[in-house]
Amino acid sequence: MNVSESVITNQFAISNFGEYYLPSVNRNTFEKIDSKTAFKKRFKEAIFQEDSLHIIVGIDSGLLANYILEHPIPTGSKYIFVELNPVLALLNVEIDVDKQKQMQILTFDAFQAEIESGDNDLYLIKEQYMIHHSFASTLGIIEEYSTLINLVDKQLSFRAVERKSHFEQKTFLIQQLKNLADNQYPAAILNGRFTGKTCIVIGGGPSLDEHFDWIVDNYHQLFVITVSRMASRLSHAGIPAHIIVSVDPQDFSFEVNRDMMALTHESLFVNSHHVNHRLISQWLGKSLYLGSKLPWTDEDADNIPTVGPTVTNSAVRIAIELGFSDILLTGADFCYSSSGVSHANGAVEANAGSNNSRIGEWVETYAGNIAETIVQLIYAGQALTEDALAYPQANIINLSENAAKLDGVTHQKVESIKLKPANISPEALLDLVPDYAAEKSEHLNKMIAEVKQAIQDLEQIKALASQAIELNAQARDIEFQSKKNQIIVSKIDKIESQLQNKYSALSQVIKFYGYYEFSKFLTTQESETWSIEHMQNMTHRYYEAFNTLAIELLGSLNQTIENLTIRQLELAETAPITKLVNHWRQSEQPGRVHNVCQLRKALNLTLDSDDARLQQIALEYQDQLTSMEHPYFSLKKANMSLHNTFAKIVDLYKSKNKTGLKQLINSIEAMIAADALAQRLYYLAQSYLAILSDDNLTALSCLQKIEPDNQTEVEKKQILVLALKLHDINLAEQTLEQIINYSDEYLPQYAHILTLQGKNQQALNIYLDFLDKYPTDISVLLKLGIFLAEMGQIDGARSSFNQVLVIDPDNLTAPNYLQQLQA
């Protein structure tokens, strides 16, 4: 056996608890503790969480699969086990018929097909999936498991990002409706105002730190467009941005960007039409929106669109539409820094450090190096390339040589940049934007009228969909070719015509909003193969989707009317303070108290700012701005986790990625004094890095720095490999003496080393002990025969070779040795 390779053998053992397992897969994991107790301790209740897709890498000789099978499947949950092909070839886990829809055991290829089928998309979209690792997959002995963990993680990551981009429309549209009161003026009012000038787009990436001093020195010649999370840092440096951009609809967007809320009087806020409402509804300054104010009209067809997938993409498009000919980028890296950091100083992500467990992708930088990135940034880079190629009049220049290299985007050092100043201050830019206060009441009235009309139209759509469902049900009981059936089909066609013509705009909104529901209507079958029953089922699902989604949208639109009505009450002669405060609290907009005070003052309306109710809600807003309890502020703990770091190390080693190993080593170095796992992984990574540099002596030295009690089979096995390469037979013997406690598979290697040391009787005893447990192991029987022949025990050698032929009559090696013995 080559000790650098792992062997999965068809040898089963029975533990002290009467459980069958594969020693080559699970070693002695279940000898000291029974599997049920071990699994309960490892996974706790997480593995039985409801409404979750549980992806489990490895089945632990079938014991983990049986453990799940013995429990009721949690409500709304599914289980997919992914196992190595050689392991599945040795095991047969039977799943009861009533559980086969909720539980599968698959090879990786089958798992890939299952994920791509779309059957699990809702779990991915809602981020209701969990990846669990079996004992075998994390032992580190079978490297194929580390590869499998990596492949499963990447497959889920890519699919989740891809599906969310298609299925998050509901979130976008709901936020768009919540923002109707605040999306008053389109960003297009600034279109083309800065033709031929230079601007700088500031992203949140680490390269911002490289250019920050240059930005400060050249600020008065720059037009600054920044992503929202960096706005506060610029302001504190005395260089407020002209434009602050935010696009994300997610709730945590407020926590990410809350520092910008103090900048309302120095910068213009340009937000996507679907930005999270907590940001725009509590912004005290001037703002312009991207995209469409209303989802069912083309009133804003000429407005600057919201482009994605990141805020940097939208910021660049704004710069293009405003007419800038030179668009400089900094902090727009689309990859991590050379130290593995994802964001510039000042961001929570930067303070959290690099993620020790995430296995990312690697891209080339302008400097010709490689850098780690994630799938979202890959998509963002591709989108920027598309914009760069579609708008050749805009020269997009990335100032950082450490940014990901993108087609259509060039790199220049700051020293070679020739600025063409826009010659406008942030204050002067704000003067170009109308003051919303004077037209707020008119805007609210218009939005209420638009929404009420949409509600009426949706009621009609719901009624039409219900009619189509009823007609389709009637058609099921009628001969397909009959005249009566044709009349019904004609009526359904007329309903469809009304939906696609009279109510076309809202029908498109429904399909956008309910992409997931309408995807169920889609089919991979060729139309000529459709049966009558199949077509009727499709028709039912189609109009059922219309009906269900119309009802959902009606709920959202009625809530929108309530929100807009509350905004009208904010402008009433006598403001109903209790009602307003309750609404602000319920909708997580306590900062509205400041907006209303400012708005009413501008309109010469009174409001008692000393009212205790207003003072209390103001304190609640202040708490939102300062509280550190939100999960977003716990990223450092997540990044420091080492739960998947071993798999990451193996992935970097197998791909010969020295850069990645160096980053990881630097990242966990500070943890090794207080964390035994960190110490072990730190020196293991250093050892692999030395091996990639052909320095086996240093590689061995690194492993020996791990405390002996902290060494696992992985490290001992690597020490053995290096000892043999360096011809240190004594170290090899010492290591084998320890490592045989993990698995019997090392016993033949131990016997061979003992032979080299002249310890023939010990070697013979080892061979015999092994064959006593595994009497049909042909490779060891051959080794024993050779050993005995070399010792002059010819009869014993013949007996060993003949035993091989009893087990395998077609074996060619044994007869060859028998012939040599006769000679």
Side-chain angles (χ1 to χ4, degrees), residues 226-246:
T226 184
V227 302
S228 47
R229 65 166 58 226
M230 289 294 111
S232 179
R233 180 179 176 186
L234 297 176
S235 180
H236 289 155
I239 52 170
H242 291 74
I243 291 175
I244 299 171
V245 186
S246 186

Side-chain angles (χ1 to χ4, degrees), residues 200 202 219 223-227 230-232 234-235 238-245 263 266-268 425-427 429-430:
I200 186 167
I202 296 177
Y219 174 66
F223 187 102
V224 178
I225 303 175
T226 184
V227 302
M230 289 294 111
S232 179
L234 297 176
S235 180
I239 52 170
H242 291 74
I243 291 175
I244 299 171
V245 186
L263 314 178
E266 65 181 39
S267 298
L268 173 64
S425 66
E427 294 87 350
L429 178 68
L430 285 171

Side-chain angles (χ1 to χ4, degrees), residues 71-117:
H71 290 77
I73 300 293
T75 303
S77 288
K78 286 179 65 176
Y79 290 85
I80 300 178
F81 287 88
V82 192
E83 184 56 276
L84 298 173
N85 296 36
V87 176
L88 287 182
L90 301 175
L91 298 168
N92 181 28
V93 180
E94 294 185 2
I95 302 174
D96 293 341
V97 174
D98 61 334
K99 289 187 176 182
Q100 288 178 2
K101 287 186 178 180
Q102 289 81 36
M103 184 171 175
Q104 296 172 282
I105 300 176
L106 307 172
T107 64
F108 176 74
D109 288 343
F111 166 75
Q112 194 170 21
E114 171 67 18
I115 292 300
E116 290 176 354
S117 72

